[in-house]
Amino acid sequence: MTTGTMHMTRTRAGGRSLILFTMCLGVLVAQIDTSVVNLALKHIAADLTANVSQLQWVVDSYNLTYATLLLTGGVLADLYGRRRIFALGIVLFTLGSLICGLAPNIATLIAGRTIAGIGAALEVPTTLAILAAVYPDPDERALPLGIWASCNGLAFIIGPTLGGLLVDHEGWRSIFLLIIPLGVLALGLTWGVVPESAAPKDRQLDLPGQALAIVALGALSLAAIEGPGWGLASVGEFSTLIVFIAALIAFLRVEAHTAGALLPLDLFKNASFSASIAIAALMTFGMYAMLFLTPLYLQSTRGASAITAGLELLPMSVSFVIVSQLSGRLTKLFGPRVITCAGMTAMGLGMLLMALFLGGSLLAIEAALLVIGIGLGLNTAPIQNVAVTSVPEDRAGTASGLINTARMVGATIGVAILGLLLGAHPGEGETVIGGYRLAYLIGGAGELAGAVIAAVFISPHSLRATK
């Protein structure tokens, strides 16, 4: 018996629960990071004298590296060992958090967030591959994958409450420094209980595609975030947009002629798959921008503390967790097209209600957040399943990676563009309210556009698993 086989035997005998705990810990920390940082932005701005565009980079430096490296992270894990790449991701995420916690200025904080984003891109996609190797029986795998998935919802509840409490009582740096012991724990468990596995056959790195993807998305984010400061008709803005267009065209040309491409263009011949990618991007375009804007609004305009703002976000978080548990059964009853369309419509209406109620009753804003959470809960799992089940089974892993990449691309662009609208309306009172209102209106329009795409292009029989 080989060493690897003995290791797997011991793992099956008594260590798989620890492996599951380790994978869940890695995902939970990465997902909590987003909601916690959003709550800390007002305090970061005051302490490090940061403007709106710099706060956008605090969020988008993480989103950008995560989005552009997510697919490559999975390939690296298959090529060089999943435990090794997961451990590297944990190290980078922990190092980035340490840099953020000690950052003397906004530039250092943004650098730390960038390193953390690289770590998340290596760590998060690898967790599923490790669980698939540890639980090779699909039926046996269902429960641990359900527990793993629930960590995403749990993060939406823990982040606003624990994060707000830490920011108010220990300062914004504490939310990053708390990651250090959790990262050390995850790293120790990884080397102690997680078996190594790899699948290098037919996998290869698409370095030209990866480089062009980074340039394209980075240039678009730069143009959106820094545009107001440069001037929308300036040479800098024009040049950056030209770089984005050129890199995007070059990326598509490279991907069309590369074996093992980062973005397999042939998958997009399937209308339901293409629609799911577009809907995922539109969903997070509005959602992540809303998560960026709303804590700022609640704290800066309504005077809430960080913990109060976190509690005021709970109607969205709790409704998301509850409804997401029901979405599978609802999809079986009504089909993926109806549920996805309903989810995107609810999110769109919720954001339009946010725009309508800004400056008014807090109860009305809470109701709008509740509607957004219901829409998110309805939409998240079905759209992921549509993407995976609309392609051949041997491409399911690629489809899953692409849908998650689309989500992060949408998030990056949403924070950049809708944050731009807020930055273009500085000041107080109705002036700044107008910036928030316009951002919510455009975010809501994006969600409703996703509902139209779902109604037109998603097949009502997309999910083989629900037949």
mmCIF file of all heavy atoms in Angstrom, residues 339-367:
data_model
loop_
_atom_site.group_PDB
_atom_site.id
_atom_site.type_symbol
_atom_site.label_atom_id
_atom_site.label_comp_id
_atom_site.label_asym_id
_atom_site.label_seq_id
_atom_site.Cartn_x
_atom_site.Cartn_y
_atom_site.Cartn_z
ATOM 1 N N ILE A 339 -37.837 30.710 -11.146
ATOM 2 C CA ILE A 339 -37.216 31.087 -9.868
ATOM 3 C C ILE A 339 -36.111 32.121 -10.074
ATOM 4 O O ILE A 339 -36.003 33.102 -9.315
ATOM 5 C CB ILE A 339 -36.669 29.841 -9.140
ATOM 6 C CG1 ILE A 339 -37.821 28.898 -8.784
ATOM 7 C CG2 ILE A 339 -35.915 30.239 -7.880
ATOM 8 C CD1 ILE A 339 -38.920 29.522 -7.931
ATOM 9 N N THR A 340 -35.294 31.930 -11.108
ATOM 10 C CA THR A 340 -34.230 32.909 -11.372
ATOM 11 C C THR A 340 -34.817 34.262 -11.753
ATOM 12 O O THR A 340 -34.349 35.313 -11.293
ATOM 13 C CB THR A 340 -33.309 32.398 -12.491
ATOM 14 O OG1 THR A 340 -32.752 31.145 -12.103
ATOM 15 C CG2 THR A 340 -32.175 33.379 -12.752
ATOM 16 N N CYS A 341 -35.850 34.235 -12.586
ATOM 17 C CA CYS A 341 -36.511 35.480 -12.974
ATOM 18 C C CYS A 341 -37.112 36.175 -11.759
ATOM 19 O O CYS A 341 -36.972 37.395 -11.584
ATOM 20 C CB CYS A 341 -37.592 35.174 -14.015
ATOM 21 S SG CYS A 341 -38.330 36.641 -14.751
ATOM 22 N N ALA A 342 -37.751 35.399 -10.884
ATOM 23 C CA ALA A 342 -38.341 35.967 -9.671
ATOM 24 C C ALA A 342 -37.263 36.542 -8.746
ATOM 25 O O ALA A 342 -37.438 37.620 -8.157
ATOM 26 C CB ALA A 342 -39.143 34.900 -8.931
ATOM 27 N N GLY A 343 -36.139 35.820 -8.617
ATOM 28 C CA GLY A 343 -35.064 36.291 -7.761
ATOM 29 C C GLY A 343 -34.467 37.602 -8.244
ATOM 30 O O GLY A 343 -34.278 38.546 -7.452
ATOM 31 N N MET A 344 -34.171 37.689 -9.527
ATOM 32 C CA MET A 344 -33.594 38.922 -10.071
ATOM 33 C C MET A 344 -34.600 40.079 -9.997
ATOM 34 O O MET A 344 -34.225 41.226 -9.737
ATOM 35 C CB MET A 344 -33.156 38.699 -11.509
ATOM 36 C CG MET A 344 -31.979 37.738 -11.667
ATOM 37 S SD MET A 344 -30.456 38.299 -10.850
ATOM 38 C CE MET A 344 -29.916 39.595 -11.969
ATOM 39 N N THR A 345 -35.882 39.781 -10.216
ATOM 40 C CA THR A 345 -36.905 40.819 -10.116
ATOM 41 C C THR A 345 -36.997 41.360 -8.690
ATOM 42 O O THR A 345 -37.075 42.572 -8.465
ATOM 43 C CB THR A 345 -38.272 40.266 -10.555
ATOM 44 O OG1 THR A 345 -38.191 39.830 -11.914
ATOM 45 C CG2 THR A 345 -39.353 41.328 -10.434
ATOM 46 N N ALA A 346 -36.981 40.455 -7.703
ATOM 47 C CA ALA A 346 -37.036 40.887 -6.303
ATOM 48 C C ALA A 346 -35.829 41.750 -5.943
ATOM 49 O O ALA A 346 -35.973 42.783 -5.271
ATOM 50 C CB ALA A 346 -37.124 39.669 -5.382
ATOM 51 N N MET A 347 -34.643 41.343 -6.391
ATOM 52 C CA MET A 347 -33.453 42.147 -6.102
ATOM 53 C C MET A 347 -33.558 43.526 -6.754
ATOM 54 O O MET A 347 -33.207 44.543 -6.144
ATOM 55 C CB MET A 347 -32.196 41.415 -6.590
ATOM 56 C CG MET A 347 -31.870 40.168 -5.785
ATOM 57 S SD MET A 347 -30.359 39.354 -6.345
ATOM 58 C CE MET A 347 -29.134 40.543 -5.790
ATOM 59 N N GLY A 348 -34.031 43.545 -8.012
ATOM 60 C CA GLY A 348 -34.182 44.822 -8.700
ATOM 61 C C GLY A 348 -35.178 45.729 -8.018
ATOM 62 O O GLY A 348 -34.912 46.929 -7.795
ATOM 63 N N LEU A 349 -36.343 45.181 -7.648
ATOM 64 C CA LEU A 349 -37.353 45.985 -6.974
ATOM 65 C C LEU A 349 -36.850 46.467 -5.612
ATOM 66 O O LEU A 349 -37.125 47.605 -5.206
ATOM 67 C CB LEU A 349 -38.635 45.165 -6.806
ATOM 68 C CG LEU A 349 -39.414 44.863 -8.098
ATOM 69 C CD1 LEU A 349 -40.629 43.996 -7.791
ATOM 70 C CD2 LEU A 349 -39.837 46.148 -8.798
ATOM 71 N N GLY A 350 -36.122 45.601 -4.901
ATOM 72 C CA GLY A 350 -35.573 46.004 -3.614
ATOM 73 C C GLY A 350 -34.625 47.189 -3.738
ATOM 74 O O GLY A 350 -34.665 48.126 -2.923
ATOM 75 N N MET A 351 -33.792 47.182 -4.773
ATOM 76 C CA MET A 351 -32.853 48.290 -4.965
ATOM 77 C C MET A 351 -33.579 49.556 -5.405
ATOM 78 O O MET A 351 -33.212 50.672 -5.007
ATOM 79 C CB MET A 351 -31.770 47.896 -5.962
ATOM 80 C CG MET A 351 -30.857 46.801 -5.419
ATOM 81 S SD MET A 351 -29.353 46.552 -6.363
ATOM 82 C CE MET A 351 -28.457 48.040 -5.933
ATOM 83 N N LEU A 352 -34.624 49.414 -6.216
ATOM 84 C CA LEU A 352 -35.422 50.584 -6.591
ATOM 85 C C LEU A 352 -36.136 51.161 -5.373
ATOM 86 O O LEU A 352 -36.256 52.389 -5.230
ATOM 87 C CB LEU A 352 -36.435 50.203 -7.671
ATOM 88 C CG LEU A 352 -35.853 49.750 -9.022
ATOM 89 C CD1 LEU A 352 -36.964 49.464 -10.021
ATOM 90 C CD2 LEU A 352 -34.879 50.773 -9.587
ATOM 91 N N LEU A 353 -36.602 50.283 -4.468
ATOM 92 C CA LEU A 353 -37.214 50.756 -3.234
ATOM 93 C C LEU A 353 -36.194 51.467 -2.343
ATOM 94 O O LEU A 353 -36.517 52.469 -1.687
ATOM 95 C CB LEU A 353 -37.838 49.579 -2.479
ATOM 96 C CG LEU A 353 -39.100 48.973 -3.100
ATOM 97 C CD1 LEU A 353 -39.506 47.702 -2.354
ATOM 98 C CD2 LEU A 353 -40.240 49.980 -3.105
ATOM 99 N N MET A 354 -34.946 50.960 -2.323
ATOM 100 C CA MET A 354 -33.884 51.646 -1.577
ATOM 101 C C MET A 354 -33.725 53.072 -2.084
ATOM 102 O O MET A 354 -33.615 54.026 -1.300
ATOM 103 C CB MET A 354 -32.560 50.888 -1.710
ATOM 104 C CG MET A 354 -32.470 49.615 -0.901
ATOM 105 S SD MET A 354 -32.338 49.888 0.886
ATOM 106 C CE MET A 354 -30.718 50.661 0.998
ATOM 107 N N ALA A 355 -33.691 53.230 -3.406
ATOM 108 C CA ALA A 355 -33.556 54.566 -3.995
ATOM 109 C C ALA A 355 -34.732 55.455 -3.594
ATOM 110 O O ALA A 355 -34.567 56.643 -3.296
ATOM 111 C CB ALA A 355 -33.457 54.456 -5.515
ATOM 112 N N LEU A 356 -35.934 54.883 -3.571
ATOM 113 C CA LEU A 356 -37.143 55.645 -3.249
ATOM 114 C C LEU A 356 -37.169 56.078 -1.793
ATOM 115 O O LEU A 356 -37.592 57.192 -1.467
ATOM 116 C CB LEU A 356 -38.370 54.787 -3.568
ATOM 117 C CG LEU A 356 -39.750 55.392 -3.266
ATOM 118 C CD1 LEU A 356 -39.995 56.609 -4.160
ATOM 119 C CD2 LEU A 356 -40.840 54.352 -3.470
ATOM 120 N N PHE A 357 -36.699 55.195 -0.891
ATOM 121 C CA PHE A 357 -36.847 55.441 0.542
ATOM 122 C C PHE A 357 -35.652 56.145 1.177
ATOM 123 O O PHE A 357 -35.691 56.428 2.373
ATOM 124 C CB PHE A 357 -37.099 54.122 1.278
ATOM 125 C CG PHE A 357 -38.393 53.452 0.901
ATOM 126 C CD1 PHE A 357 -38.472 52.073 0.789
ATOM 127 C CD2 PHE A 357 -39.530 54.206 0.645
ATOM 128 C CE1 PHE A 357 -39.664 51.454 0.452
ATOM 129 C CE2 PHE A 357 -40.723 53.607 0.299
ATOM 130 C CZ PHE A 357 -40.794 52.232 0.198
ATOM 131 N N LEU A 358 -34.580 56.388 0.425
ATOM 132 C CA LEU A 358 -33.414 57.058 1.000
ATOM 133 C C LEU A 358 -33.811 58.400 1.603
ATOM 134 O O LEU A 358 -34.536 59.186 0.996
ATOM 135 C CB LEU A 358 -32.343 57.277 -0.078
ATOM 136 C CG LEU A 358 -31.547 56.052 -0.515
ATOM 137 C CD1 LEU A 358 -30.560 56.439 -1.598
ATOM 138 C CD2 LEU A 358 -30.812 55.410 0.663
ATOM 139 N N GLY A 359 -33.311 58.659 2.809
ATOM 140 C CA GLY A 359 -33.641 59.900 3.484
ATOM 141 C C GLY A 359 -34.957 59.843 4.230
ATOM 142 O O GLY A 359 -35.339 60.799 4.904
ATOM 143 N N GLY A 360 -35.661 58.710 4.121
ATOM 144 C CA GLY A 360 -36.956 58.577 4.772
ATOM 145 C C GLY A 360 -36.915 57.593 5.920
ATOM 146 O O GLY A 360 -35.922 57.476 6.640
ATOM 147 N N SER A 361 -37.999 56.851 6.073
ATOM 148 C CA SER A 361 -38.173 55.940 7.197
ATOM 149 C C SER A 361 -37.161 54.795 7.158
ATOM 150 O O SER A 361 -36.961 54.153 6.127
ATOM 151 C CB SER A 361 -39.594 55.378 7.164
ATOM 152 O OG SER A 361 -39.711 54.248 7.995
ATOM 153 N N LEU A 362 -36.555 54.526 8.322
ATOM 154 C CA LEU A 362 -35.644 53.389 8.427
ATOM 155 C C LEU A 362 -36.404 52.076 8.223
ATOM 156 O O LEU A 362 -35.878 51.128 7.630
ATOM 157 C CB LEU A 362 -34.948 53.388 9.788
ATOM 158 C CG LEU A 362 -34.011 52.210 10.072
ATOM 159 C CD1 LEU A 362 -32.862 52.191 9.076
ATOM 160 C CD2 LEU A 362 -33.477 52.269 11.499
ATOM 161 N N LEU A 363 -37.651 52.013 8.694
ATOM 162 C CA LEU A 363 -38.462 50.810 8.535
ATOM 163 C C LEU A 363 -38.661 50.485 7.055
ATOM 164 O O LEU A 363 -38.617 49.309 6.656
ATOM 165 C CB LEU A 363 -39.814 50.985 9.229
ATOM 166 C CG LEU A 363 -40.742 49.760 9.235
ATOM 167 C CD1 LEU A 363 -40.081 48.597 9.974
ATOM 168 C CD2 LEU A 363 -42.086 50.114 9.872
ATOM 169 N N ALA A 364 -38.858 51.498 6.238
ATOM 170 C CA ALA A 364 -39.029 51.284 4.802
ATOM 171 C C ALA A 364 -37.738 50.763 4.175
ATOM 172 O O ALA A 364 -37.761 49.882 3.298
ATOM 173 C CB ALA A 364 -39.456 52.585 4.128
ATOM 174 N N ILE A 365 -36.588 51.278 4.625
ATOM 175 C CA ILE A 365 -35.304 50.805 4.125
ATOM 176 C C ILE A 365 -35.092 49.347 4.528
ATOM 177 O O ILE A 365 -34.604 48.527 3.733
ATOM 178 C CB ILE A 365 -34.162 51.700 4.659
ATOM 179 C CG1 ILE A 365 -34.256 53.087 4.010
ATOM 180 C CG2 ILE A 365 -32.793 51.070 4.379
ATOM 181 C CD1 ILE A 365 -33.284 54.090 4.571
ATOM 182 N N GLU A 366 -35.470 48.999 5.758
ATOM 183 C CA GLU A 366 -35.360 47.606 6.206
ATOM 184 C C GLU A 366 -36.220 46.685 5.341
ATOM 185 O O GLU A 366 -35.819 45.565 5.013
ATOM 186 C CB GLU A 366 -35.796 47.492 7.669
ATOM 187 C CG GLU A 366 -34.922 48.247 8.650
ATOM 188 C CD GLU A 366 -33.504 47.735 8.694
ATOM 189 O OE1 GLU A 366 -33.290 46.599 9.132
ATOM 190 O OE2 GLU A 366 -32.604 48.468 8.253
ATOM 191 N N ALA A 367 -37.412 47.152 4.963
ATOM 192 C CA ALA A 367 -38.283 46.355 4.095
ATOM 193 C C ALA A 367 -37.631 46.139 2.731
ATOM 194 O O ALA A 367 -37.703 45.043 2.160
ATOM 195 C CB ALA A 367 -39.636 47.049 3.939
#
